[in-house]
Amino acid sequence: MTTPRIFKMSFARVYPLYVQKAEKKGRTAAEVDEIITWLTGYDAPALQAQLDANVDCATFVTNAPRFNPNATKITGVVCGVRVEEIADPTMQRLRYLDKLIDELARGKTMAKIFRD
């Protein structure tokens, strides 16, 4: 089985796309950072260090300091696949992040995004 392309892609390359998607819908880069921080446990300096180090997406989510246990409450479809049914844990974590950014862009409140 081949490694998915997204695993090898630099997170520093994907991050601006998340920000761009949010900003197109009137949201902010700070909200994107808040989502990433909530999901992965990286604080702002650690997130910036990961971006500066140009780590790949798989490494970024696999080495997350405190992946949020409430991530399992994230459900829905991303790229035609239900995130709760993804077998590969690394891919599932990446799709959780994608789903949260999608919800932000669709105008959901942060409380709903964070499953409070």
Short mmCIF file of all heavy atoms in Angstrom, two decimals, residues 46-102:
data_model
loop_
_atom_site.label_atom_id
_atom_site.label_comp_id
_atom_site.label_asym_id
_atom_site.label_seq_id
_atom_site.Cartn_x
_atom_site.Cartn_y
_atom_site.Cartn_z
N ALA A 46 4.93 26.61 19.71
CA ALA A 46 5.19 25.25 19.20
C ALA A 46 4.61 25.08 17.79
O ALA A 46 5.23 24.44 16.94
CB ALA A 46 4.62 24.20 20.14
N LEU A 47 3.44 25.66 17.56
CA LEU A 47 2.85 25.62 16.22
C LEU A 47 3.77 26.32 15.23
O LEU A 47 4.07 25.79 14.15
CB LEU A 47 1.46 26.26 16.22
CG LEU A 47 0.79 26.44 14.85
CD1 LEU A 47 0.65 25.11 14.12
CD2 LEU A 47 -0.56 27.12 15.01
N GLN A 48 4.24 27.50 15.61
CA GLN A 48 5.15 28.24 14.72
C GLN A 48 6.44 27.46 14.49
O GLN A 48 6.97 27.43 13.38
CB GLN A 48 5.46 29.63 15.29
CG GLN A 48 6.22 30.52 14.33
CD GLN A 48 5.48 30.73 13.02
OE1 GLN A 48 4.32 31.13 13.01
NE2 GLN A 48 6.14 30.45 11.90
N ALA A 49 6.94 26.78 15.51
CA ALA A 49 8.16 25.97 15.38
C ALA A 49 7.93 24.83 14.38
O ALA A 49 8.82 24.52 13.57
CB ALA A 49 8.59 25.42 16.73
N GLN A 50 6.75 24.22 14.42
CA GLN A 50 6.43 23.15 13.47
C GLN A 50 6.37 23.70 12.05
O GLN A 50 6.85 23.06 11.11
CB GLN A 50 5.09 22.49 13.84
CG GLN A 50 5.10 21.74 15.13
CD GLN A 50 6.02 20.53 15.07
OE1 GLN A 50 5.92 19.69 14.20
NE2 GLN A 50 6.95 20.46 16.02
N LEU A 51 5.79 24.87 11.89
CA LEU A 51 5.73 25.50 10.57
C LEU A 51 7.13 25.85 10.07
O LEU A 51 7.47 25.59 8.92
CB LEU A 51 4.84 26.75 10.61
CG LEU A 51 3.36 26.51 10.88
CD1 LEU A 51 2.63 27.83 11.14
CD2 LEU A 51 2.71 25.76 9.73
N ASP A 52 7.96 26.41 10.96
CA ASP A 52 9.32 26.79 10.59
C ASP A 52 10.18 25.57 10.26
O ASP A 52 11.04 25.62 9.38
CB ASP A 52 9.99 27.59 11.71
CG ASP A 52 9.35 28.95 11.92
OD1 ASP A 52 8.62 29.43 11.02
OD2 ASP A 52 9.57 29.54 13.01
N ALA A 53 9.93 24.46 10.97
CA ALA A 53 10.70 23.24 10.75
C ALA A 53 10.25 22.50 9.49
O ALA A 53 10.89 21.53 9.07
CB ALA A 53 10.59 22.32 11.95
N ASN A 54 9.14 22.96 8.90
CA ASN A 54 8.64 22.38 7.65
C ASN A 54 8.34 20.88 7.77
O ASN A 54 8.63 20.11 6.87
CB ASN A 54 9.66 22.64 6.53
CG ASN A 54 8.99 22.82 5.19
OD1 ASN A 54 7.83 23.23 5.12
ND2 ASN A 54 9.71 22.50 4.13
N VAL A 55 7.76 20.49 8.92
CA VAL A 55 7.43 19.07 9.13
C VAL A 55 6.29 18.66 8.19
O VAL A 55 5.48 19.49 7.78
CB VAL A 55 7.04 18.76 10.59
CG1 VAL A 55 8.17 19.06 11.53
CG2 VAL A 55 5.79 19.51 11.00
N ASP A 56 6.25 17.38 7.88
CA ASP A 56 5.16 16.90 7.02
C ASP A 56 3.89 16.75 7.84
O ASP A 56 3.92 16.76 9.08
CB ASP A 56 5.54 15.61 6.30
CG ASP A 56 5.88 14.47 7.25
OD1 ASP A 56 5.05 14.17 8.13
OD2 ASP A 56 6.96 13.88 7.10
N CYS A 57 2.77 16.64 7.17
CA CYS A 57 1.46 16.59 7.84
C CYS A 57 1.35 15.39 8.77
O CYS A 57 0.79 15.50 9.87
CB CYS A 57 0.34 16.56 6.80
SG CYS A 57 0.12 18.13 5.97
N ALA A 58 1.85 14.25 8.35
CA ALA A 58 1.77 13.05 9.19
C ALA A 58 2.54 13.25 10.49
O ALA A 58 2.05 12.93 11.57
CB ALA A 58 2.30 11.83 8.44
N THR A 59 3.73 13.81 10.40
CA THR A 59 4.53 14.07 11.59
C THR A 59 3.83 15.09 12.49
O THR A 59 3.81 14.94 13.71
CB THR A 59 5.93 14.58 11.19
OG1 THR A 59 6.56 13.59 10.37
CG2 THR A 59 6.79 14.86 12.40
N PHE A 60 3.25 16.11 11.88
CA PHE A 60 2.58 17.15 12.64
C PHE A 60 1.48 16.57 13.54
O PHE A 60 1.43 16.87 14.72
CB PHE A 60 1.99 18.21 11.69
CG PHE A 60 1.27 19.31 12.41
CD1 PHE A 60 1.99 20.33 13.02
CD2 PHE A 60 -0.11 19.33 12.49
CE1 PHE A 60 1.32 21.35 13.70
CE2 PHE A 60 -0.78 20.34 13.16
CZ PHE A 60 -0.06 21.36 13.77
N VAL A 61 0.61 15.75 12.99
CA VAL A 61 -0.48 15.20 13.81
C VAL A 61 -0.03 14.04 14.69
O VAL A 61 -0.54 13.87 15.79
CB VAL A 61 -1.73 14.81 12.97
CG1 VAL A 61 -2.33 16.02 12.31
CG2 VAL A 61 -1.44 13.72 11.99
N THR A 62 0.91 13.25 14.22
CA THR A 62 1.39 12.11 15.00
C THR A 62 2.13 12.56 16.26
O THR A 62 2.00 11.95 17.31
CB THR A 62 2.30 11.21 14.15
OG1 THR A 62 1.57 10.78 13.01
CG2 THR A 62 2.78 9.99 14.92
N ASN A 63 2.90 13.64 16.13
CA ASN A 63 3.69 14.14 17.25
C ASN A 63 2.97 15.23 18.06
O ASN A 63 3.59 15.89 18.88
CB ASN A 63 5.03 14.68 16.76
CG ASN A 63 5.91 13.59 16.20
OD1 ASN A 63 5.69 12.41 16.45
ND2 ASN A 63 6.91 13.97 15.43
N ALA A 64 1.69 15.40 17.84
CA ALA A 64 0.93 16.41 18.59
C ALA A 64 1.07 16.14 20.08
O ALA A 64 0.92 15.00 20.52
CB ALA A 64 -0.53 16.38 18.17
N PRO A 65 1.36 17.18 20.85
CA PRO A 65 1.61 16.98 22.28
C PRO A 65 0.43 16.41 23.06
O PRO A 65 0.61 15.57 23.93
CB PRO A 65 1.96 18.36 22.81
CG PRO A 65 1.96 19.28 21.66
CD PRO A 65 1.54 18.56 20.44
N ARG A 66 -0.78 16.88 22.78
CA ARG A 66 -1.97 16.42 23.51
C ARG A 66 -3.14 16.41 22.54
O ARG A 66 -3.94 17.34 22.55
CB ARG A 66 -2.30 17.35 24.68
CG ARG A 66 -1.32 17.34 25.81
CD ARG A 66 -1.63 18.39 26.87
NE ARG A 66 -1.97 19.72 26.36
CZ ARG A 66 -1.11 20.62 25.92
NH1 ARG A 66 0.18 20.35 25.93
NH2 ARG A 66 -1.51 21.79 25.48
N PHE A 67 -3.25 15.39 21.73
CA PHE A 67 -4.37 15.34 20.79
C PHE A 67 -5.65 15.27 21.60
O PHE A 67 -5.79 14.42 22.48
CB PHE A 67 -4.24 14.16 19.83
CG PHE A 67 -4.98 14.39 18.55
CD1 PHE A 67 -4.41 15.13 17.54
CD2 PHE A 67 -6.26 13.90 18.37
CE1 PHE A 67 -5.10 15.38 16.36
CE2 PHE A 67 -6.96 14.14 17.21
CZ PHE A 67 -6.37 14.88 16.19
N ASN A 68 -6.57 16.17 21.34
CA ASN A 68 -7.76 16.33 22.16
C ASN A 68 -8.63 15.08 22.18
O ASN A 68 -9.01 14.57 21.13
CB ASN A 68 -8.58 17.52 21.64
CG ASN A 68 -9.56 18.02 22.65
OD1 ASN A 68 -10.37 17.25 23.15
ND2 ASN A 68 -9.50 19.30 22.94
N PRO A 69 -8.96 14.57 23.37
CA PRO A 69 -9.79 13.37 23.46
C PRO A 69 -11.21 13.60 22.93
O PRO A 69 -11.88 12.65 22.53
CB PRO A 69 -9.81 13.03 24.95
CG PRO A 69 -9.36 14.27 25.65
CD PRO A 69 -8.52 15.05 24.68
N ASN A 70 -11.66 14.85 22.89
CA ASN A 70 -12.99 15.15 22.33
C ASN A 70 -13.02 15.09 20.81
O ASN A 70 -14.08 15.26 20.21
CB ASN A 70 -13.49 16.52 22.80
CG ASN A 70 -13.93 16.50 24.24
OD1 ASN A 70 -14.24 15.45 24.79
ND2 ASN A 70 -13.97 17.66 24.86
N ALA A 71 -11.88 14.83 20.20
CA ALA A 71 -11.83 14.71 18.73
C ALA A 71 -12.74 13.58 18.26
O ALA A 71 -13.28 13.65 17.15
CB ALA A 71 -10.40 14.48 18.27
N THR A 72 -12.95 12.60 19.08
CA THR A 72 -13.82 11.49 18.68
C THR A 72 -15.27 11.93 18.52
O THR A 72 -16.06 11.21 17.92
CB THR A 72 -13.75 10.34 19.70
OG1 THR A 72 -14.11 10.82 20.99
CG2 THR A 72 -12.35 9.73 19.73
N LYS A 73 -15.61 13.10 19.03
CA LYS A 73 -16.96 13.64 18.87
C LYS A 73 -17.15 14.30 17.51
O LYS A 73 -18.26 14.69 17.16
CB LYS A 73 -17.27 14.66 19.97
CG LYS A 73 -17.32 14.05 21.35
CD LYS A 73 -17.61 15.11 22.39
CE LYS A 73 -17.64 14.54 23.80
NZ LYS A 73 -17.87 15.58 24.80
N ILE A 74 -16.06 14.46 16.77
CA ILE A 74 -16.13 15.08 15.44
C ILE A 74 -16.67 14.05 14.46
O ILE A 74 -16.11 12.96 14.33
CB ILE A 74 -14.75 15.58 14.98
CG1 ILE A 74 -14.20 16.60 15.97
CG2 ILE A 74 -14.83 16.16 13.57
CD1 ILE A 74 -12.74 16.95 15.77
N THR A 75 -17.77 14.39 13.83
CA THR A 75 -18.38 13.49 12.86
C THR A 75 -18.70 14.27 11.59
O THR A 75 -18.73 15.50 11.60
CB THR A 75 -19.68 12.86 13.41
OG1 THR A 75 -20.60 13.91 13.71
CG2 THR A 75 -19.42 12.03 14.65
N GLY A 76 -18.95 13.55 10.54
CA GLY A 76 -19.32 14.19 9.29
C GLY A 76 -18.48 13.69 8.14
O GLY A 76 -17.67 12.76 8.29
N VAL A 77 -18.66 14.33 7.01
CA VAL A 77 -18.01 13.88 5.78
C VAL A 77 -16.98 14.91 5.32
O VAL A 77 -17.25 16.10 5.28
CB VAL A 77 -19.07 13.67 4.67
CG1 VAL A 77 -18.40 13.26 3.37
CG2 VAL A 77 -20.09 12.63 5.11
N VAL A 78 -15.80 14.43 4.99
CA VAL A 78 -14.75 15.22 4.37
C VAL A 78 -14.24 14.43 3.18
O VAL A 78 -13.91 13.25 3.32
CB VAL A 78 -13.58 15.50 5.35
CG1 VAL A 78 -12.44 16.20 4.66
CG2 VAL A 78 -14.05 16.32 6.53
N CYS A 79 -14.23 15.06 2.04
CA CYS A 79 -13.77 14.40 0.80
C CYS A 79 -14.55 13.12 0.53
O CYS A 79 -13.99 12.12 0.07
CB CYS A 79 -12.27 14.11 0.86
SG CYS A 79 -11.25 15.58 1.02
N GLY A 80 -15.83 13.13 0.86
CA GLY A 80 -16.69 11.99 0.58
C GLY A 80 -16.55 10.81 1.52
O GLY A 80 -17.11 9.75 1.29
N VAL A 81 -15.80 11.00 2.61
CA VAL A 81 -15.57 9.91 3.57
C VAL A 81 -15.98 10.38 4.96
O VAL A 81 -15.64 11.50 5.37
CB VAL A 81 -14.07 9.51 3.57
CG1 VAL A 81 -13.80 8.41 4.59
CG2 VAL A 81 -13.61 9.09 2.19
N ARG A 82 -16.69 9.54 5.69
CA ARG A 82 -17.07 9.87 7.06
C ARG A 82 -15.83 9.81 7.95
O ARG A 82 -15.15 8.78 8.00
CB ARG A 82 -18.14 8.92 7.57
CG ARG A 82 -19.44 9.03 6.78
CD ARG A 82 -20.65 8.62 7.56
NE ARG A 82 -20.94 9.49 8.69
CZ ARG A 82 -21.57 10.68 8.60
NH1 ARG A 82 -21.94 11.14 7.44
NH2 ARG A 82 -21.82 11.38 9.69
N VAL A 83 -15.52 10.90 8.64
CA VAL A 83 -14.30 10.97 9.44
C VAL A 83 -14.29 9.94 10.57
O VAL A 83 -13.23 9.42 10.92
CB VAL A 83 -14.02 12.38 10.00
CG1 VAL A 83 -13.72 13.35 8.89
CG2 VAL A 83 -15.13 12.88 10.87
N GLU A 84 -15.45 9.64 11.10
CA GLU A 84 -15.50 8.68 12.22
C GLU A 84 -15.26 7.24 11.77
O GLU A 84 -15.03 6.37 12.60
CB GLU A 84 -16.82 8.80 13.00
CG GLU A 84 -18.06 8.51 12.20
CD GLU A 84 -18.67 9.71 11.48
OE1 GLU A 84 -17.97 10.69 11.20
OE2 GLU A 84 -19.87 9.64 11.18
N GLU A 85 -15.27 7.00 10.47
CA GLU A 85 -15.08 5.64 9.95
C GLU A 85 -13.69 5.41 9.33
O GLU A 85 -13.42 4.33 8.83
CB GLU A 85 -16.16 5.33 8.91
CG GLU A 85 -17.55 5.31 9.50
CD GLU A 85 -18.65 5.14 8.46
OE1 GLU A 85 -18.34 5.06 7.25
OE2 GLU A 85 -19.82 5.10 8.86
N ILE A 86 -12.83 6.41 9.39
CA ILE A 86 -11.49 6.28 8.81
C ILE A 86 -10.66 5.37 9.71
O ILE A 86 -10.53 5.61 10.92
CB ILE A 86 -10.82 7.66 8.64
CG1 ILE A 86 -11.63 8.51 7.66
CG2 ILE A 86 -9.37 7.50 8.18
CD1 ILE A 86 -11.18 9.94 7.56
N ALA A 87 -10.09 4.32 9.12
CA ALA A 87 -9.36 3.32 9.90
C ALA A 87 -7.95 3.78 10.30
O ALA A 87 -7.50 3.50 11.41
CB ALA A 87 -9.27 2.01 9.11
N ASP A 88 -7.25 4.45 9.41
CA ASP A 88 -5.89 4.89 9.68
C ASP A 88 -5.92 6.07 10.65
O ASP A 88 -6.48 7.12 10.33
CB ASP A 88 -5.20 5.30 8.37
CG ASP A 88 -3.77 5.71 8.57
OD1 ASP A 88 -3.53 6.70 9.29
OD2 ASP A 88 -2.89 5.05 7.99
N PRO A 89 -5.32 5.94 11.85
CA PRO A 89 -5.40 7.01 12.84
C PRO A 89 -4.76 8.33 12.39
O PRO A 89 -5.26 9.39 12.73
CB PRO A 89 -4.69 6.44 14.06
CG PRO A 89 -4.07 5.17 13.66
CD PRO A 89 -4.60 4.77 12.33
N THR A 90 -3.68 8.25 11.62
CA THR A 90 -3.04 9.48 11.14
C THR A 90 -3.95 10.19 10.15
O THR A 90 -4.15 11.41 10.25
CB THR A 90 -1.68 9.16 10.50
OG1 THR A 90 -0.86 8.50 11.46
CG2 THR A 90 -0.98 10.42 10.02
N MET A 91 -4.53 9.46 9.22
CA MET A 91 -5.44 10.06 8.26
C MET A 91 -6.67 10.61 8.97
O MET A 91 -7.16 11.69 8.63
CB MET A 91 -5.86 9.04 7.20
CG MET A 91 -6.80 9.61 6.14
SD MET A 91 -6.09 10.98 5.21
CE MET A 91 -5.15 10.08 4.01
N GLN A 92 -7.15 9.88 9.97
CA GLN A 92 -8.33 10.35 10.70
C GLN A 92 -8.03 11.68 11.40
O GLN A 92 -8.84 12.60 11.37
CB GLN A 92 -8.77 9.30 11.72
CG GLN A 92 -10.09 9.66 12.39
CD GLN A 92 -10.56 8.56 13.30
OE1 GLN A 92 -9.80 8.05 14.12
NE2 GLN A 92 -11.82 8.18 13.17
N ARG A 93 -6.87 11.80 11.99
CA ARG A 93 -6.50 13.05 12.66
C ARG A 93 -6.42 14.21 11.67
O ARG A 93 -6.88 15.32 11.97
CB ARG A 93 -5.16 12.89 13.39
CG ARG A 93 -5.27 12.08 14.65
CD ARG A 93 -3.93 11.90 15.32
NE ARG A 93 -4.11 11.35 16.66
CZ ARG A 93 -3.21 11.43 17.62
NH1 ARG A 93 -2.06 12.04 17.40
NH2 ARG A 93 -3.45 10.90 18.79
N LEU A 94 -5.86 13.96 10.51
CA LEU A 94 -5.80 15.00 9.48
C LEU A 94 -7.20 15.40 9.02
O LEU A 94 -7.49 16.59 8.83
CB LEU A 94 -4.96 14.54 8.29
CG LEU A 94 -3.46 14.48 8.53
CD1 LEU A 94 -2.77 13.74 7.39
CD2 LEU A 94 -2.90 15.89 8.67
N ARG A 95 -8.06 14.44 8.86
CA ARG A 95 -9.43 14.72 8.42
C ARG A 95 -10.24 15.40 9.51
O ARG A 95 -11.12 16.21 9.21
CB ARG A 95 -10.12 13.46 7.93
CG ARG A 95 -9.50 12.89 6.67
CD ARG A 95 -9.50 13.91 5.56
NE ARG A 95 -8.88 13.36 4.37
CZ ARG A 95 -8.31 14.07 3.43
NH1 ARG A 95 -8.27 15.38 3.52
NH2 ARG A 95 -7.77 13.50 2.38
N TYR A 96 -9.94 15.11 10.78
CA TYR A 96 -10.58 15.85 11.87
C TYR A 96 -10.26 17.34 11.72
O TYR A 96 -11.14 18.19 11.83
CB TYR A 96 -10.08 15.39 13.24
CG TYR A 96 -10.64 14.10 13.78
CD1 TYR A 96 -9.90 13.35 14.69
CD2 TYR A 96 -11.90 13.64 13.44
CE1 TYR A 96 -10.40 12.18 15.23
CE2 TYR A 96 -12.41 12.46 13.98
CZ TYR A 96 -11.65 11.74 14.87
OH TYR A 96 -12.15 10.57 15.41
N LEU A 97 -9.00 17.64 11.47
CA LEU A 97 -8.59 19.03 11.30
C LEU A 97 -9.29 19.65 10.09
O LEU A 97 -9.81 20.77 10.17
CB LEU A 97 -7.07 19.13 11.18
CG LEU A 97 -6.49 20.54 11.02
CD1 LEU A 97 -6.95 21.46 12.15
CD2 LEU A 97 -4.97 20.46 10.97
N ASP A 98 -9.33 18.92 8.99
CA ASP A 98 -10.04 19.41 7.80
C ASP A 98 -11.49 19.73 8.12
O ASP A 98 -12.02 20.76 7.71
CB ASP A 98 -9.99 18.39 6.67
CG ASP A 98 -8.62 18.20 6.06
OD1 ASP A 98 -7.74 19.06 6.26
OD2 ASP A 98 -8.43 17.18 5.36
N LYS A 99 -12.14 18.84 8.85
CA LYS A 99 -13.55 19.00 9.19
C LYS A 99 -13.76 20.24 10.05
O LYS A 99 -14.71 21.00 9.83
CB LYS A 99 -14.07 17.74 9.90
CG LYS A 99 -15.52 17.79 10.28
CD LYS A 99 -16.41 17.78 9.06
CE LYS A 99 -17.87 17.79 9.47
NZ LYS A 99 -18.74 18.10 8.37
N LEU A 100 -12.89 20.46 11.02
CA LEU A 100 -13.03 21.62 11.88
C LEU A 100 -12.85 22.92 11.10
O LEU A 100 -13.58 23.90 11.32
CB LEU A 100 -12.04 21.55 13.05
CG LEU A 100 -12.26 20.41 14.04
CD1 LEU A 100 -11.21 20.45 15.14
CD2 LEU A 100 -13.66 20.44 14.63
N ILE A 101 -11.90 22.94 10.18
CA ILE A 101 -11.69 24.13 9.35
C ILE A 101 -12.91 24.35 8.45
O ILE A 101 -13.36 25.49 8.27
CB ILE A 101 -10.39 24.03 8.53
CG1 ILE A 101 -9.17 23.91 9.45
CG2 ILE A 101 -10.26 25.22 7.58
CD1 ILE A 101 -8.94 25.05 10.41
N ASP A 102 -13.48 23.29 7.92
CA ASP A 102 -14.71 23.40 7.13
C ASP A 102 -15.83 24.01 7.96
O ASP A 102 -16.57 24.87 7.48
CB ASP A 102 -15.17 22.03 6.62
CG ASP A 102 -14.34 21.49 5.47
OD1 ASP A 102 -13.50 22.24 4.92
OD2 ASP A 102 -14.52 20.31 5.12
#
